[in-house]
Amino acid sequence: MIKIKGVVTRRSAVFSQLKEIYLECKCGNRIGPLFQNNNSDIKIGTCPVCQSNGPFMIDYDKTIYRNH
Ligand SMILES: [Zn+2]
């Protein structure tokens, strides 16, 4: 699991936007949710099923953009 420490900022709503990202591996395995805010990269690692390190397709149907 990936943990991102919350950053408290009231400067802009942009910085508090959190993306909940789902990825789909070419083997069909779904990876996620991964959490990303605008300041950090997501670290995906490898698919636990086929050990592939990508590329992964973003599942836009499941990926959620929301503001906190
Ligand atoms: Zn895979």
Side-chain angles (χ1 to χ4, degrees):
M1 295 299 288
I2 294 173
K3 263 189 178 177
I4 297 173
K5 286 186 178 175
V7 178
V8 178
T9 173
R10 289 174 189 170
R11 270 190 181 178
S12 166
V14 173
F15 287 101
S16 62
Q17 188 179 62
L18 192 71
K19 296 179 200 172
E20 192 174 315
I21 298 169
Y22 287 82
L23 300 173
E24 192 172 325
C25 180
K26 57 190 173 187
C27 76
N29 183 47
R30 185 155 292 144
I31 301 167
L34 304 167
F35 297 99
Q36 181 193 37
N37 64 34
N38 291 342
N39 297 328
S40 63
D41 295 327
I42 35 173
K43 294 183 177 64
I44 297 167
T46 58
C47 172
V49 174
C50 69
Q51 312 303 318
S52 168
N53 57 5
F56 302 112
M57 295 197 325
I58 295 177
D59 186 339
Y60 286 103
D61 288 341
K62 291 261 169 104
T63 296
I64 299 166
Y65 297 85
R66 62 183 173 194
N67 292 308
H68 283 240

